[in-house]
Amino acid sequence: MRHQFKGEDFLAFKDMTKEEILFITDLSLDFKKKWVSRESHEYLKGQVWAALFEKNSTRTRNAFERAAADLGVKVVYLRPDEMQMTRGEPLKDTARILDRYFDGLFIRTFGHEIVEQCAYWMKNPVINGLTALEHPTQGIADLMTIKEKKGKFEGLKMCYSGNLYNVAYTTMIFCATLGIDLSIACPKGLEPDEKILEETMKRAKESGAKIELTQDFDKALENADIVYGMSQYSMGQSEEEIEYLKKAFKPYQINAEAMKKAKSDAIFMHCLPAHRGEEVTDEVMESDQSVIFDEGENRMHSIKAILAAVAN
Ligand code: CP
């Protein structure tokens, strides 16, 4: 069991134990208390971190910048288009140079192998701000939100509707690890990443969580404590793929009728940004069941906890 993250990378839930996931979630909730009580927590004063975003971001980038400011960390924002890496400099050279200047790297990029390569070449910690495979800082914020709203993990049921991609994979791993039943509603033909599915099923066997992929949206919604909406397509997909996915996901829209099929006290979650009128209606987003802005705020507390835990 390893509760000490100091100096380590934070790359993916698939690499983390149940104890580690719970440790960071609880630490995030502690940091939220400090924020609410306005207790100063400049624990990392003097550190300087690099933030490299190869994709757009509203929540992750700003949550990281604010979390860092509260911890006393200066952030240097790196624009990929201004760096030599976009002119072909190898990642292993870029990573080793950044490692000489900064106390750590927060990175949002494309393939998961990119963050793994950064972690390999850097001695200082690397935090994954989203790859094609996982979105672990989102996962911790989601767990904080579930704990706040439902008070527990084990025995809950989540209905997930949306594209099978990074957020789905992180969600699959945390549900399987913590004993949350997960019913993923998606059209025929969509298959999750094989290795993530394998890891999910292995963990579900240990926790007793029931994990299923179904085309039956009503079945997925039945008895759900959490209805999780996710974009039907992802950044970087072609116009053709997007059109196909929009059509295929049409029957899986989370609207007021769908919410009625879940438990009456079910909460609606979404990592945002949402496409109102596509995967979810405006009515559901604005309803009392929606916890999306608490979830969004929790991005900051969770990133702060992750940063505090891994920083040297
Ligand atoms: N949920 C999330 O990662 O939001 P951003 O893309 O705005 O960072």
Side-chain angles (χ1 to χ4, degrees), residues 2 18-19 38 55 57 66 75 90 99 104 110 118 136 158 195 212-213 218 237 269 282 296-297 309:
R2 186 197 60 169
K18 177 179 178 177
E19 289 73 22
R38 295 179 175 270
K55 288 177 163 186
S57 170
R66 179 60 204 248
V75 174
D99 199 35
F110 296 90
C118 288
M158 178 190 285
K195 284 197 175 132
E212 64 170 2
L213 261 87
D218 287 357
Q237 288 194 284
M269 296 178 69
D282 192 64
E297 179 190 320

Side-chain angles (χ1 to χ4, degrees), residues 150-195:
K150 295 289 170 191
K152 62 174 187 176
F153 299 120
E154 207 165 336
L156 294 176
K157 178 185 173 183
M158 178 190 285
C159 163
Y160 179 101
S161 170
N163 202 1
L164 297 183
Y165 211 52
N166 39 33
V167 174
Y169 298 154
T170 296
T171 307
M172 283 165 67
I173 297 284
F174 79 60
C175 284
T177 308
L178 302 181
I180 302 172
D181 292 342
L182 174 65
S183 201
I184 300 173
C186 65
K188 199 176 175 180
L190 256 68
E191 299 288 343
D193 179 272
E194 245 175 62
K195 284 197 175 132

Side-chain angles (χ1 to χ4, degrees), residues 56-61 108 135 138 235 271-273 299:
N56 291 2
S57 170
T58 294
R59 280 142 290 271
T60 312
R61 179 180 168 191
R108 166 169 287 196
H135 198 357
Q138 179 72 50
M235 285 185 272
C271 76
L272 303 178
R299 298 298 314 284

Side-chain angles (χ1 to χ4, degrees), residues 119-296:
Y120 178 81
W121 291 107
M122 292 180 67
K123 290 191 183 81
N124 284 314
V126 175
I127 299 176
N128 172 12
L130 179 135
T131 63
L133 193 70
E134 281 222 35
H135 198 357
T137 64
Q138 179 72 50
I140 297 292
D142 290 347
L143 288 172
M144 280 181 77
T145 311
I146 294 169
K147 187 85 180 276
E148 286 175 332
K149 305 297 175 189
K150 295 289 170 191
K152 62 174 187 176
F153 299 120
E154 207 165 336
L156 294 176
K157 178 185 173 183
M158 178 190 285
C159 163
Y160 179 101
S161 170
N163 202 1
L164 297 183
Y165 211 52
N166 39 33
V167 174
Y169 298 154
T170 296
T171 307
M172 283 165 67
I173 297 284
F174 79 60
C175 284
T177 308
L178 302 181
I180 302 172
D181 292 342
L182 174 65
S183 201
I184 300 173
C186 65
K188 199 176 175 180
L190 256 68
E191 299 288 343
D193 179 272
E194 245 175 62
K195 284 197 175 132
I196 291 286
L197 184 62
E198 194 183 314
E199 181 65 24
T200 299
M201 291 313 184
K202 193 179 104 199
R203 289 176 184 233
K205 215 169 170 184
E206 285 162 23
S207 72
K210 292 187 210 85
I211 311 285
E212 64 170 2
L213 261 87
T214 176
Q215 292 162 53
D216 187 342
F217 195 22
D218 287 357
K219 185 172 164 236
L221 287 161
E222 195 180 5
N223 276 322
D225 301 280
I226 304 153
V227 180
Y228 199 113
M230 177 62 189
S231 174
Q232 299 164 348
Y233 44 89
S234 305
M235 285 185 272
Q237 288 194 284
S238 70
E239 279 301 312
E240 208 178 13
E241 281 173 314
I242 291 172
E243 276 320 302
Y244 167 78
L245 288 166
K246 275 187 182 175
K247 216 167 150 188
F249 269 112
K250 226 173 179 131
Y252 300 92
Q253 186 190 61
I254 302 168
N255 50 35
E257 275 309 300
M259 286 303 291
K260 277 188 204 142
K261 291 172 185 162
K263 280 188 181 166
S264 58
D265 63 350
I267 54 171
F268 170 73
M269 296 178 69
H270 194 300
C271 76
L272 303 178
H275 302 89
R276 291 174 188 239
E278 290 183 8
E279 74 269 17
V280 59
T281 58
D282 192 64
E283 189 182 6
V284 170
M285 292 280 282
E286 299 297 336
S287 70
D288 291 342
Q289 286 171 286
S290 171
V291 298
I292 52 172
F293 295 107
D294 289 335
E295 184 184 1

